[in-house]
Amino acid sequence: MIHSLSGGTAKEYNVYDYAKVDVLGKIMFFISDIHDLKAGDKVEVPVGIKNEIGVVLRVDKNVTEQNFPIPAKRMKYIIRIVN
């Protein structure tokens, strides 16, 4: 707890949508800025030096970076939904 007389402020954390994606049989997590993303969507994601197609298993919306086990700065973004 930060005391109001100490002059400090609480850190503000960014909020992201996190997606659990099955890519070639491997479970990976990505940040998504696609608002209508849902489980079952096929997506293009960066894996290593190339892009792969994966299937979204779950989307957790509006999660603070503090409450996710992987640091947001180390995560990659979903590129697009594949038709």
Side-chain angles (χ1 to χ4, degrees), residues 14-21 28-34 37 43-46 56 58-60 63-65 68 70-80:
N14 294 322
V15 177
Y16 299 102
D17 291 348
Y18 293 96
K20 181 179 183 180
V21 180
M28 302 178 79
F29 289 92
F30 295 91
I31 295 175
S32 173
D33 54 8
I34 303 169
L37 187 70
V43 292
E44 182 178 356
V45 293
V56 176
R58 184 180 78 218
V59 178
D60 297 324
V63 179
T64 62
E65 62 185 323
F68 200 76
I70 304 169
K73 65 184 176 185
R74 292 184 50 212
M75 295 184 69
K76 296 181 180 179
Y77 282 77
I78 291 176
I79 297 170
R80 66 185 176 97

